[in-house]
Amino acid sequence: MVECLRHSIGPDPFFGLEALLTLYLITDMHMMVSRPEQWVKPMAAAGANQYTFHLEATTNPGNLIKEIRESGMKVGLAIKPGTTVEELAPWAGQIDMALVMTVEPGFGGQKFMEDMMPKVSWLRSQFPSLDIEVDGGVGPDSIHRCAEAGANMIVSGSAVVSSDDPRSVIALLKNVVIEAIQKRSLDR
């Protein structure tokens, strides 16, 4: 699919399958797989711009980060709800985006886990320029908590596709995030 999209759209757009709210289009391959190392080269060859893997899925994050960079992609690092943010912290200076899962990975429609927001807040306070994404149960009822905690990238599946007016849901999510980013800029 990535290769087909890249061929149709061309080499310039940084486009996305999940990150609906970025201000540009991005191909962020969120790899919820047991051996993420095996997919780096195929995703790079297909035209992916960013490769996000789960910290829990590899025994050597440093080597995987290096391999992703050498393949010409940006690096995203995800953590599941049971993983502490301190386990991600040593890698934060080497990645482009940290993804805090706000549900257990695996299927859509789960309830947003608000108790993950301290992870987002901590990451934002420690790494102010890092892109921080949240994924899972994010919609109109939870977006303010995500944005206020410091998330600047949002994945919203069920809330968008199950809406009678997906465009207005996307606009709301995007506007809340933009307003929170602007407020943080003014607070500095």
Side-chain angles (χ1 to χ4, degrees):
M1 184 186 313
V2 173
E3 187 174 15
C4 179
L5 286 170
R6 180 58 68 204
H7 178 72
S8 296
I9 295 175
D12 293 331
F14 194 74
F15 66 92
L17 303 176
E18 280 194 337
L20 296 172
L21 298 179
T22 53
L23 298 177
Y24 46 88
L25 298 171
I26 137 178
T27 324
D28 172 18
M29 306 312 304
H30 179 180
M31 304 301 292
M32 291 190 281
V33 296
S34 58
R35 291 186 336 226
E37 296 82 359
Q38 73 180 356
W39 296 102
V40 173
K41 288 187 182 0
M43 290 299 113
N49 300 105
Q50 181 167 299
Y51 190 96
T52 300
F53 67 96
H54 279 257
L55 181 61
E56 306 86 358
T58 186
T59 57
N60 197 332
N63 281 353
L64 184 51
I65 290 167
K66 182 178 181 224
E67 183 180 352
I68 295 165
R69 285 247 185 264
E70 288 173 352
S71 295
M73 295 181 287
K74 290 186 173 192
V75 179
L77 182 55
I79 56 172
K80 296 183 349 182
T83 303
T84 67
V85 72
E86 289 82 9
E87 292 175 68
L88 182 147
W91 310 107
Q94 300 173 47
I95 63 175
D96 299 290
M97 187 264 293
L99 167 54
V100 176
M101 294 297 299
T102 49
V103 297
E104 285 296 337
F107 59 94
Q110 295 181 62
K111 188 176 185 300
F112 175 75
M113 298 171 73
E114 187 168 353
D115 57 339
M116 296 299 108
M117 292 304 95
K119 293 180 182 184
V120 175
S121 296
W122 187 86
L123 283 167
R124 179 58 62 216
S125 70
Q126 299 300 306
F127 307 100
S129 62
L130 183 65
D131 280 331
I132 302 170
E133 182 174 84
V134 289
D135 181 355
V138 179
D141 295 338
S142 55
I143 186 61
H144 287 89
R145 291 178 294 239
C146 298
E148 288 166 9
N152 65 316
M153 297 177 72
I154 307 296
V155 175
S156 184
S158 298
V160 172
V161 298
S162 67
S163 170
D164 291 335
D165 188 0
R167 288 182 192 272
S168 69
V169 172
I170 292 170
L172 170 72
L173 300 174
K174 183 177 177 178
N175 289 337
V176 169
V177 171
I178 290 170
E179 288 172 14
I181 291 169
Q182 290 171 339
K183 183 179 183 313
R184 274 193 301 279
S185 293
L186 292 174
D187 290 345
R188 286 188 200 162

